[in-house]
Amino acid sequence: MINLLLFPIILPFLFAILLLFFKEQVKTQRVLTVIGLLISLCSSFYLIWTIKQEGIQTVTLGSWPAPFGITMVSDMFSAILVTTTLLITFFIVLYSFPTIGKGREQYFYYPAILFMITGVNGAFTTGDIFNMFVFFEVLLIASYLLIVLGGEKKQLRESIKYIIINVVSSALFVITVAMLYSVVGTLNMADIAAKIAQIEQPAIISVIAILLLIVFGIKGSLFPLYFWLPGSYAAPPIPVLSLFGALLTKVGIYAIMRTYTLFFVHDMAFTHGILMALSILTIIAGCIGALAYFDLKQIIIYNIVIAVGVILYGAAQMNESGLSGAVFYLVHDMLIKAALFLLIGMIIYVTGTSNLRKMGGLMKTHPALGWFYLIAAFGLAGIPPLSGFIGKLLIVRGAFEAEHIWGSIIILLSSLIVLLSVIRIFIYAFWGEPQNLPKTKTKPYVQMMIPTLSLVLLSVLYGIGVEWFAPYIADATDVLLQPSIYIDAVLK
């Protein structure tokens, strides 16, 4: 019972190792991957239920008392993100079967995904700041393999930039953690929070806060550190792009939200003021990018950047509305981005291009794809009663409560630009006269449609069934608003 929170990390890891022995046997790999993800998913749902009943779950490895051992902590916030991660990965793996190609499947595609999920879930669950760095490295090493797998020229070119940027940010992460350790003398996150509270955040802690914001801002693509993202994410195939777009930036966002609500809460005018300003600039930069391109991938990739700004703006308010909006919108964005990337993958499959100017008339040939794309597009833009609306409404309300009127106006205006960018795809691809489409097989199309529709429907359910999810979101928000709940659970 006590080690339940380790299951969503250990199970993908064990299945990834198992898959290494079946390099050539694609069917075996597929079956084992699906089984591994389903078992992990069941354990994460059970973990959420356990946290709801019994409160925050912790385990300190090696039976050492906290803060001396490495502690793993699962509160409602991390458990929700772990479950969402496994759910999205499951559908993306199903989508990969007809689309990724035998060549990639025989070169450790599925083990790389499972190793990446191990790192992502580990980063969400760890209660130790150095351990977070270790899990970041696990997910990054797996992502390096995924970004080059297939060896296309574009992939190799973009992967060099991606690897260099991440190596630099990882080095900065280690240096910053060393600085933090030299000031507070501990790596346990709950203990760091307690120690910083005792010394009342001197200037050096504020410097460390900004350095960590740079590190996590590179991972989460915060302005002006997002420059590497559009090129790198557009290079690999659609299933890999979906995984990266839905999950990787969210680990950076999680890390910022966790540290800025747990550690750096004694000089908020400075630390959270900078976070707020950068998140607004991130939204503006994303909006410019989303309108500038006529490439399907780039338009949705720049929408990732906009969402990063919106979520972190909500987190920077440090009030109940802002934080609950940020948590709700974070989960919404993971679901909707995965759905949208799979949808544009289907559009590219049908048309043979990602250039909007070369498309048209798909509504006459593929009406179901058109309608489901439209639902996902409205969800992304935040049209009520879809899930994007509720999160954004709470964030804007939190900003009004904190008297940050201008930021709220920018977020509301950004919704219009998001709507414009995704409706432009709909108009160009689905309206007008049908183009000459390349010959495509029906079977792969149907196989792609099933996981894609499932994700679109999940995102709709997340918006319509908000009353069911509200208690869980409230629990996640409470831990962020009251760090003492987290600290007491870990240090007992």
Side-chain angles (χ1 to χ4, degrees):
M1 187 65 181
I2 184 87
N3 295 343
L4 178 67
L5 63 100
L6 297 178
F7 280 26
I9 305 163
I10 290 171
L11 286 169
F13 181 69
L14 292 176
F15 272 90
I17 291 170
L18 186 61
L19 288 177
L20 297 177
F21 296 103
F22 299 99
K23 181 173 179 282
E24 301 295 324
Q25 292 144 317
V26 171
K27 279 190 174 168
T28 311
Q29 286 202 55
R30 289 177 175 184
V31 171
L32 284 173
T33 306
V34 168
I35 291 170
L37 286 169
L38 282 173
I39 299 171
S40 306
L41 199 52
C42 292
S43 71
S44 71
F45 277 121
Y46 186 56
L47 177 62
I48 286 183
W49 182 81
T50 307
I51 294 167
K52 189 72 186 151
Q53 302 300 318
E54 301 174 17
I56 297 174
Q57 302 292 302
T58 64
V59 55
T60 305
L61 306 177
S63 302
W64 289 83
F68 303 109
I70 292 174
T71 306
M72 305 299 280
V73 186
S74 208
D75 59 4
M76 192 56 84
F77 184 35
S78 67
I80 288 171
L81 293 181
V82 162
T83 308
T84 311
T85 298
L86 289 165
L87 203 57
I88 288 168
T89 309
F90 174 70
F91 288 118
I92 291 174
V93 163
L94 292 183
Y95 187 91
S96 300
F97 295 164
T99 58
I100 200 71
K102 281 267 166 59
R104 286 188 173 93
E105 287 181 304
Q106 289 176 338
Y107 274 89
F108 308 114
Y109 172 71
Y110 297 115
I113 287 179
L114 292 177
F115 280 128
M116 194 177 96
I117 297 312
T118 303
V120 171
N121 285 349
F124 287 149
T125 311
T126 184
D128 182 287
I129 192 82
F130 185 76
N131 226 24
M132 184 180 273
F133 163 75
V134 173
F135 281 119
F136 267 55
E137 291 309 297
V138 171
L139 73 90
L140 284 172
I141 289 165
S143 73
Y144 298 157
L145 171 59
L146 286 170
I147 202 171
V148 296
L149 200 57
E152 292 166 18
K153 188 179 175 185
K154 186 181 175 189
Q155 283 179 273
L156 296 172
R157 186 182 68 239
E158 290 297 340
S159 66
I160 294 167
K161 181 169 71 179
Y162 177 75
I163 291 169
I164 289 170
I165 292 293
N166 278 301
V167 166
V168 170
S169 81
S170 295
L172 186 60
F173 195 175
V174 174
I175 293 164
T176 310
V177 168
M179 285 174 66
L180 185 60
Y181 184 73
S182 70
V183 177
V184 294
T186 180
L187 292 169
N188 183 294
M189 281 153 72
D191 203 32
I192 292 171
K195 294 279 201 312
I196 290 175
Q198 287 167 9
I199 55 176
E200 289 182 342
Q201 192 153 344
I204 182 69
I205 296 286
S206 296
V207 171
I208 290 167
I210 299 307
L211 284 172
L212 278 180
L213 186 61
I214 293 168
V215 170
F216 299 142
I218 292 172
K219 312 273 192 222
S221 71
L222 193 63
F223 180 88
L225 307 165
Y226 72 91
F227 61 89
W228 58 272
L229 181 107
S232 298
Y233 277 22
I238 287 290
V240 178
L241 164 58
S242 309
L243 274 174
F244 284 14
L247 304 180
L248 290 196
T249 47
K250 307 309 181 284
V251 183
I253 293 173
Y254 166 82
I256 293 172
M257 286 176 71
R258 181 63 83 193
T259 51
Y260 270 62
T261 54
L262 190 61
F263 306 165
F264 310 120
V265 291
H266 305 281
D267 187 10
M268 283 203 253
F270 176 67
T271 51
H272 291 61
I274 288 177
L275 179 59
M276 211 177 305
L278 288 177
S279 55
I280 288 294
L281 290 170
T282 307
I283 293 170
I284 294 167
C287 288
I288 293 167
L291 291 181
Y293 282 91
F294 271 85
D295 182 272
L296 278 180
K297 290 182 181 179
Q298 295 293 356
I299 292 169
I300 307 295
I301 287 170
Y302 273 102
N303 271 296
I304 296 175
V305 178
I306 298 171
V308 169
V310 171
I311 295 162
L312 289 176
Y313 186 76
Q317 306 310 317
M318 286 301 283
N319 55 25
E320 192 172 344
S321 297
L323 277 169
S324 59
V327 174
F328 193 90
Y329 200 82
L330 179 56
V331 177
H332 146 79
D333 194 62
M334 291 167 82
L335 291 168
I336 204 76
K337 285 297 188 307
L340 273 167
F341 280 122
L342 298 189
L343 282 161
I344 63 164
M346 293 183 72
I347 296 171
I348 292 167
Y349 174 75
V350 168
T351 58
T353 177
S354 65
N355 185 343
L356 276 180
R357 291 190 177 97
K358 295 179 182 173
M359 296 178 189
L362 284 180
M363 209 62 185
K364 289 172 184 163
T365 53
H366 299 80
L369 182 59
W371 289 117
F372 276 100
Y373 172 79
L374 197 61
I375 292 168
F378 284 161
L380 183 70
I383 305 286
L386 299 167
S387 54
F389 170 73
I390 296 135
K392 220 169 246 185
L393 182 73
L394 285 166
I395 289 169
V396 169
R397 193 170 97 184
F400 274 117
E401 284 170 10
E403 294 178 358
H404 298 131
I405 311 300
W406 281 106
S408 309
I409 291 168
I410 289 170
I411 284 184
L412 293 170
L413 289 174
S414 77
S415 295
L416 292 175
I417 291 175
V418 169
L419 184 62
L420 183 62
S421 72
V422 286
I423 288 300
R424 199 174 53 157
I425 294 177
F426 184 73
I427 290 169
Y428 272 86
F430 292 96
W431 283 10
E433 285 307 306
Q435 304 289 319
N436 288 329
L437 299 177
K439 286 271 186 287
T440 51
K441 294 175 183 169
T442 310
K443 191 183 172 189
Y445 180 79
V446 173
Q447 286 176 312
M448 291 156 81
M449 191 59 115
I450 294 164
T452 309
L453 293 195
S454 304
L455 275 171
V456 174
L457 292 172
L458 263 176
S459 74
V460 172
L461 179 70
Y462 185 57
I464 293 170
V466 67
E467 291 86 12
W468 303 334
F469 301 108
Y472 299 92
I473 302 293
D475 285 2
T477 310
D478 286 346
V479 177
L480 296 176
L481 269 177
Q482 301 167 38
S484 57
I485 300 174
Y486 184 94
I487 297 166
D488 294 344
V490 177
L491 300 179
K492 304 215 172 30

